[in-house]
Amino acid sequence: MKASKNFLRYIGILRDKVFTGPEIVHFHINNYCNLRCLYCWFHSPQVKRKPKPKEIGFEDFKRIIDEIEELGATMIRLSGDGEPTMHSKIKEMIHYIKNKKLKFSILTNCVFNKDIREILIDADEIFVNFSAPNKQVYNEIQSIASEIVFKNVIRNIHYLSIFGKGSVEVQYIINNRNYKYVYEMMKLASKLGVDSINFKIMDIVPHNKNLILSREEIEDFKTILEHCIREQRKLKIKSNISSICTIYSKPSFIRGGQKRDKYRGKDNVEKCFIGWYFANINLNGDVTPCCRMNHVIGNINKKGFREIWISEKSHKFRMDGKYFFKMNKGIWNDCSVCEWRKLNHKYLKGYQV
């Protein structure tokens, strides 16, 4: 069934139409968290106005999942402006997704108890926000709690890596408090048995500018990255360390990402097809075609998902991405650091779109 759905997406791209639902629906289900990561947009201790705690109701969640499943989507990815495993109905949500025969993935900080851990064994993908390989750095940039939290995270990652049926990826947000520990994290991840590490450039917002690497720190970081590249094969861990090294070696990449809109990677693309295989649902119901842009194509509380997915506004976005895409211009402003570029290359190369 997966192959036929992907084939329909490919044909839709070729014919400028849509014949099935997205491959992945990224679903924000709550906005509260049990950590206080310094680099976080919402819950950093440096944020003055915290969001009022909110979560989507379970009945609304089921209705939306029913619509998504009926349309032919492949995977639901649970996320939030916080920690999704804290949702009061998270167990019921996961069971509901699995009973619909949909694939399931989650973005989490792995700060949860044994009951949640056992449920996540069945996840097809787990992405862990884990940006510190030792308790000192962890307590400084992610948690204001004791070392018990760090040990719990290590235990959960290791358990899910061994017994989980899907993949486990650690996401490491680079900043001036943790850049020196990249190699240490690679060794820890290898020891824990995770499938990969995704080193991510920190998204710059006003309250975390004090975490940007200085020019001197960037030069130091480049040396660390070169060492990591040489040692990666020995550690037997997949990562994007080479791509990160390329980015930080660009003259235009000033102050750790503050001028990242001028960066052009070697895998730069001239077209974007995300409108055929991805959708993002925010907690307020707004549907966007990408989790990195604020281009709203509808609201799930006002219209059904099918109506939004096949709407004229969605069609226009797909056509703009295919025929009028301009890297770093207008709604495409964040695309130079997009993680979906490789998939766009696959479509371009395999189907001569």
Side-chain angles (χ1 to χ4, degrees):
M1 192 65 179
K2 176 185 176 183
S4 64
K5 289 180 181 178
N6 279 336
F7 181 73
L8 288 173
R9 293 182 188 108
Y10 298 147
I11 295 300
I13 292 172
L14 290 172
R15 297 186 179 180
D16 295 345
K17 296 181 179 180
V18 60
F19 298 110
T20 189
E23 181 178 353
I24 298 174
V25 176
H26 191 105
F27 205 153
H28 297 253
I29 60 174
N30 66 345
N31 70 346
Y32 40 88
C33 193
N34 47 14
L35 291 184
R36 297 295 180 265
C37 301
L38 293 181
Y39 45 78
C40 180
W41 293 3
F42 308 103
H43 303 286
S44 168
Q46 300 176 115
V47 175
K48 294 181 180 180
R49 295 182 63 182
K50 301 293 192 298
K52 185 178 180 180
K54 184 180 179 182
E55 66 178 29
I56 186 172
F58 186 47
E59 293 304 316
D60 286 334
F61 176 83
K62 290 193 296 181
R63 170 181 59 82
I64 297 168
I65 293 298
D66 289 346
E67 295 175 3
I68 292 171
E69 185 268 339
E70 182 181 341
L71 191 59
T74 303
M75 175 182 285
I76 305 297
R77 180 172 294 164
L78 296 185
S79 180
D81 302 334
E83 173 53 35
T85 63
M86 293 183 69
H87 193 287
S88 61
K89 295 289 185 179
I90 187 61
K91 296 178 184 179
E92 291 86 347
M93 286 177 163
I94 293 173
H95 286 310
Y96 198 79
I97 292 170
K98 301 303 290 186
N99 287 337
K100 287 288 182 178
K101 308 300 180 184
L102 290 163
K103 288 193 172 184
F104 158 64
S105 71
I106 190 166
L107 282 71
T108 177
N109 57 32
C110 269
V111 180
F112 43 67
N113 59 32
K114 183 178 178 181
D115 290 343
I116 299 296
R117 187 176 69 194
E118 292 300 322
I119 292 175
L120 293 186
I121 284 178
D122 290 328
D124 296 281
E125 296 175 341
I126 299 175
F127 301 94
V128 185
N129 170 24
F130 186 46
S131 299
N134 60 64
K135 62 183 180 181
Q136 290 80 15
V137 179
Y138 187 83
N139 286 343
E140 179 184 1
I141 67 174
Q142 286 198 257
S143 174
I144 55 176
S146 67
E147 66 178 275
I148 295 175
V149 176
F150 180 77
K151 290 181 178 179
N152 183 40
V153 171
I154 292 290
R155 181 168 54 250
N156 287 335
I157 294 175
H158 187 44
Y159 186 89
L160 291 170
S161 297
I162 294 174
F163 299 107
K165 81 167 193 177
S167 62
V168 177
E169 176 181 283
V170 165
Q171 299 189 333
Y172 191 95
I173 313 300
I174 300 167
N175 57 74
N176 61 16
R177 310 294 177 89
N178 70 359
Y179 78 92
K180 292 184 178 181
Y181 305 98
V182 165
Y183 182 60
E184 187 177 339
M185 174 55 80
M186 291 179 71
K187 290 195 295 183
L188 176 60
S190 178
K191 180 180 179 181
L192 295 177
V194 305
D195 295 279
S196 60
I197 310 176
N198 184 12
F199 294 103
K200 305 186 73 170
I201 301 165
M202 183 180 69
D203 287 317
I204 308 301
V205 290
H207 69 261
N208 68 14
K209 287 186 176 181
N210 62 318
L211 300 177
I212 298 172
L213 274 67
S214 67
R215 296 192 182 195
E216 293 76 17
E217 288 170 331
I218 288 176
E219 291 302 316
D220 184 29
F221 189 35
K222 284 159 61 178
T223 302
I224 295 170
L225 290 172
E226 289 167 1
H227 172 71
C228 291
I229 291 172
R230 291 193 298 269
E231 298 294 317
Q232 180 169 326
R233 184 173 296 180
K234 298 178 184 177
L235 295 175
K236 298 180 179 179
I237 184 75
K238 293 180 181 179
S239 78
N240 63 334
I241 199 74
S242 295
S243 297
I244 292 296
C245 188
T246 299
I247 292 172
Y248 275 90
S249 297
K250 291 284 181 178
S252 60
F253 197 87
I254 301 171
R255 288 183 61 78
Q258 207 164 21
K259 300 292 182 182
R260 67 182 183 181
D261 56 315
K262 295 184 178 180
Y263 166 67
R264 295 293 186 95
K266 63 181 180 180
D267 58 342
N268 185 42
V269 297
E270 299 302 328
K271 297 185 179 185
C272 178
F273 308 115
I274 197 168
W276 277 274
Y277 54 83
F278 187 88
N280 177 72
I281 303 177
N282 291 322
L283 184 58
N284 66 357
D286 283 346
V287 180
T288 64
C290 175
C291 56
R292 296 199 67 88
M293 62 173 59
N294 201 27
H295 183 71
V296 179
I297 56 176
N299 188 289
I300 203 71
N301 297 319
K302 298 176 182 179
K303 296 180 179 180
F305 187 81
R306 172 184 287 275
E307 185 179 355
I308 294 171
W309 182 249
I310 64 175
S311 68
E312 181 59 33
K313 202 166 186 178
S314 294
H315 177 71
K316 184 180 184 303
F317 175 83
R318 295 185 185 104
M319 295 304 98
D320 286 347
K322 182 176 178 180
Y323 295 109
F324 306 105
F325 177 78
K326 292 184 179 181
M327 181 74 79
N328 308 316
K329 301 292 184 180
I331 63 172
W332 315 102
N333 188 52
D334 253 358
C335 296
S336 61
V337 290
C338 179
E339 298 173 2
W340 295 90
R341 287 180 294 169
K342 289 183 178 179
L343 189 55
N344 281 323
H345 271 292
K346 183 184 77 171
Y347 287 126
L348 281 168
K349 184 177 180 180
Y351 294 89
Q352 291 80 47
V353 179

